Amino acid sequence: MRVATILLCGVDLFFRGKLEALLPEHHFITVDHTDLPDLVIVDISRVDAEEVADAYPDVPILGFTNHTDTAGLRAAHAAGFDHVVVKSALEERVRELIEELTPSLE
């Protein structure tokens, strides 16, 4: 599997550390680069879902939030995110979700 460049939007440093530990083979970025990322992971509770979806229309977007943030989950679905999960499910299934959303990297 090729290394994916994963843009993190609104992801706090603690959770970024968890993702980096779970997925050491991937490259995580937090700022815009000249090249588009292979995947965007978004903390829905900390950013505007529509803005992210508009900024990356051709990039798979994986959104997460806590299970009580039903408005955020709805907003991410409405914005057209490719996959929306609660934070605990992201931690448990992150590798599987990334492989599902970036099949061209196989």
Side-chain angles (χ1 to χ4, degrees), residues 62-79:
L62 171 58
F64 73 91
T65 189
N66 63 57
H67 67 281
T68 59
D69 185 11
T70 53
L73 292 168
R74 280 195 305 273
H77 280 293

Side-chain angles (χ1 to χ4, degrees), residues 5-9 16 27-40 55-56 59:
T5 298
I6 301 171
L7 174 65
L8 302 177
C9 291
R16 177 187 175 143
H27 178 65
F28 292 90
I29 58 174
T30 54
V31 294
D32 291 325
H33 285 63
T34 54
D35 296 326
L36 284 177
D38 299 304
L39 175 69
V40 179
Y56 300 98
V59 177

Side-chain angles (χ1 to χ4, degrees), residues 69-92:
D69 185 11
T70 53
L73 292 168
R74 280 195 305 273
H77 280 293
F81 281 23
D82 296 275
H83 212 79
V84 181
V85 295
V86 295
K87 190 173 186 176
S88 60
L90 178 62
E91 288 182 62
E92 293 169 10

Side-chain angles (χ1 to χ4, degrees), residues 2 6 8 10 16 22 25 38 42 44 51 54 60 64 71 75 81 84 88 90 92 95-96 101-102:
R2 190 169 76 74
I6 301 171
L8 302 177
R16 177 187 175 143
L22 289 167
E25 70 277 14
D38 299 304
V42 181
I44 300 162
E51 285 181 16
D54 289 347
F64 73 91
F81 281 23
V84 181
S88 60
L90 178 62
E92 293 169 10
R95 183 173 302 281
E96 171 190 336
L101 291 168
T102 59

